[in-house]
Amino acid sequence: MTPDVVLPLASGSKWPAVTALVACFAKNKIDYDTKMADILDWWTSEQNDTRSEVTLRHVLSMTTGMISDDDGDKASRAWNLCSLRGKKNFDECAQKMFLATSNGHVYTEPGVQFIYSSYGFQWAAAAAQVIDNATIGAILNTYVLSPAGMKPECDWANSDSLPLLGGGLSCSARKLDKFVHAMLTDKLIDTKTRLEMETIQTKPSMLGSATLFWGPYCFGNWLVCLNNMRFNRPMPTQCLRAKRHGHPGCFGYYNYVDRVRNIYFNMLPSYTCSPSNNFCDSPTGSSNCPQLYGTAQTVYHTINRYLDDIFDYTFSSDNQDDGIYTFDSRSVPSSQWATSL
C-alpha cells in the first residue's frame, strides 16, 4: 500500500461531488431554496403532491423524504435498473428515480427527516446539468477534479455518462490530499459558498441512531460531532466550537478539515476484512462496512489522541440536562461507538 494506490471511496465521494454542485450553483447564482420543479420539467408541481415542495436545499442535505439506502428503496433500484440496461442519458435515469417515488412511495414530507442515501444527489446533478448546460461529468471535472489537480488518477466510474455522485469516486491518498487541502484553503469555492455548504441543515430530532453518531449533516458533509448528539436534544456547543467538517466512506476513507485549528486530516487505508479477522475486529463482527470499523478504531484510539495532544483538544464527559455534551474518545469503550456506525 502506497499513497499512490487508487482505491474506491464509497461515501467519501459525497464531499467532492457536492462541492462541484454548489460551485456550479454559486457560479450561476442559484438559490438553494429553489424548487426542483422550477428547474426540472419532469418534476411535479402538483400542489397536493409533497414532492412539489422539494428544493435544492432538501436534495443537498438528504432531507427530501423520498429516498434511502435501504435495499428495497424504489428510487435507488430505479437508478440501478436504468444504468444496468445500458442507458447513457443521466437525465433519463434521474427521471426514472423520480417516477419510482410516485403514488405515495415517499417516506416523509420534505424537511422533516434526514434519510441517508448515496443516490439522492443524482437529482441535484440533473438540476446542475440544466443550470450549467453541461454534462455532469464535465461539471465534476470543471469544478473539482481539474482545479484541485486530482486527474487523471481520480474520477467517478462511468463519469462520461452515469456517475453515481454519492459513491462512485475512486482516488489515491496523494490526490485526495489535494482535495482536502483545497477545501481548507477555499481554493475550489469562495468563502461565502463554503460557509453555506458547511451550515447545519439537520436538527438532532431529524437523525436516526446511526447518523446521530457522526453529527449533524450539512451539504454533502458532516459537522463531525462524534458520539456527542442525543435524539431531540439541543445541539452540543462543543460540536459547534470544534468546526470539523468531513465525510468518511464505507471502505475506510476518513477525512476532515478543522476550521478552528486550520488543519486537515486525510486517511485512505487499505484493509482486508473477512471472517478470519472478525471483519477488521469489528466489536459486532459485522460485515457491513468493516473497513470503516477498522479506520474508526485507528482514528479514535490512536490518531485522535495524537492530534488532541498536539492541538490541546481536551474534552470531558458532561451529560447535563442543558444539552451540552462533550466527549473524550480515549475513555469510551469501543463497543459504544462501533455499534453505532
Side-chain angles (χ1 to χ4, degrees):
M1 177 65 185
T2 72
D4 297 306
V5 173
V6 175
L7 296 170
L9 303 191
S11 284
S13 308
K14 292 178 174 63
W15 197 13
V18 175
T19 299
L21 294 177
V22 298
C24 168
F25 297 144
K27 175 192 172 186
N28 291 281
K29 296 180 171 53
I30 303 299
D31 192 302
Y32 294 118
D33 292 314
T34 302
K35 292 183 179 181
M36 297 296 288
D38 292 336
I39 305 172
L40 299 171
D41 57 13
W42 42 261
W43 198 283
T44 184
S45 57
E46 294 292 332
Q47 291 186 354
N48 61 349
D49 190 329
T50 60
R51 297 176 301 168
S52 66
E53 297 300 316
V54 172
T55 65
L56 279 173
R57 183 181 304 279
H58 294 133
V59 178
L60 294 171
S61 61
M62 300 192 194
T63 58
T64 64
M66 297 169 58
I67 191 168
S68 79
D69 267 355
D70 292 344
D71 290 340
D73 182 77
K74 293 183 179 295
S76 302
R77 290 178 61 190
W79 175 269
N80 290 333
L81 287 172
C82 186
S83 58
L84 288 172
R85 288 172 178 168
K87 299 292 185 181
K88 298 297 182 181
N89 188 305
F90 190 96
D91 186 76
E92 180 181 348
C93 288
Q95 183 178 3
K96 288 185 179 299
M97 287 174 59
F98 176 77
L99 293 174
T101 66
S102 302
N103 301 318
H105 289 125
V106 296
Y107 299 96
T108 68
E109 295 181 357
V112 174
Q113 186 178 355
F114 172 82
I115 306 176
Y116 194 81
S117 170
S118 294
Y119 293 83
F121 294 144
Q122 305 299 86
W123 288 322
Q129 289 192 144
V130 173
I131 291 166
D132 215 43
N133 192 29
T135 66
I136 186 56
I139 290 169
L140 294 169
N141 183 64
T142 299
Y143 293 102
V144 167
L145 295 177
S146 287
M150 299 169 70
K151 298 287 291 255
E153 292 87 345
C154 307
D155 206 352
W156 273 263
N158 302 316
S159 62
D160 61 335
S161 55
L162 297 174
L164 178 61
L165 272 73
L169 179 61
S170 293
C171 200
S172 68
R174 193 182 304 278
K175 290 304 178 79
L176 278 170
D177 198 76
K178 291 180 176 293
F179 168 74
V180 185
H181 181 261
M183 292 306 293
L184 180 69
T185 57
D186 291 347
K187 178 181 178 180
L188 300 177
I189 50 179
D190 59 43
T191 302
K192 178 178 181 293
T193 302
R194 188 259 297 169
L195 289 172
E196 291 176 318
M197 186 177 179
E198 294 180 355
T199 297
I200 296 171
Q201 303 293 327
T202 56
K203 299 179 292 186
S205 60
M206 299 169 66
L207 305 177
S209 58
T211 49
L212 274 170
F213 171 79
W214 292 107
Y217 207 70
C218 306
F219 286 166
N221 68 96
W222 302 93
L223 172 66
V224 182
C225 182
L226 301 178
N227 208 32
N228 268 292
M229 296 181 63
R230 303 295 185 268
F231 181 75
N232 211 19
R233 298 294 299 277
M235 191 72 66
T237 56
Q238 176 239 314
C239 298
L240 299 175
R241 289 197 305 265
K243 293 184 179 179
R244 285 181 174 178
H245 292 267
H247 211 304
C250 185
F251 299 134
Y253 181 44
Y254 193 99
N255 60 21
Y256 58 74
V257 294
D258 186 321
R259 299 295 178 192
V260 174
R261 304 301 185 193
N262 198 34
I263 63 171
Y264 70 93
F265 176 76
N266 180 55
M267 180 180 182
L268 180 59
S270 178
Y271 293 101
T272 299
C273 300
S274 66
S276 65
N277 59 14
N278 194 33
F279 294 106
C280 290
D281 294 324
S282 163
T284 60
S286 173
S287 59
N288 182 28
C289 295
Q291 293 92 335
L292 189 54
Y293 286 117
T295 299
Q297 293 193 53
T298 301
V299 171
Y300 300 155
H301 295 295
T302 304
I303 295 173
N304 271 2
R305 176 178 295 188
Y306 174 73
L307 292 176
D308 289 352
D309 287 343
I310 291 177
F311 295 102
D312 193 29
Y313 273 78
T314 305
F315 303 140
S316 61
S317 179
D318 181 12
N319 292 341
Q320 303 299 316
D321 290 338
D322 59 5
I324 299 175
Y325 301 95
T326 55
F327 171 61
D328 184 343
S329 64
R330 290 162 283 187
S331 64
V332 178
S334 61
S335 60
Q336 290 190 20
W337 52 259
T339 54
S340 299
L341 284 175

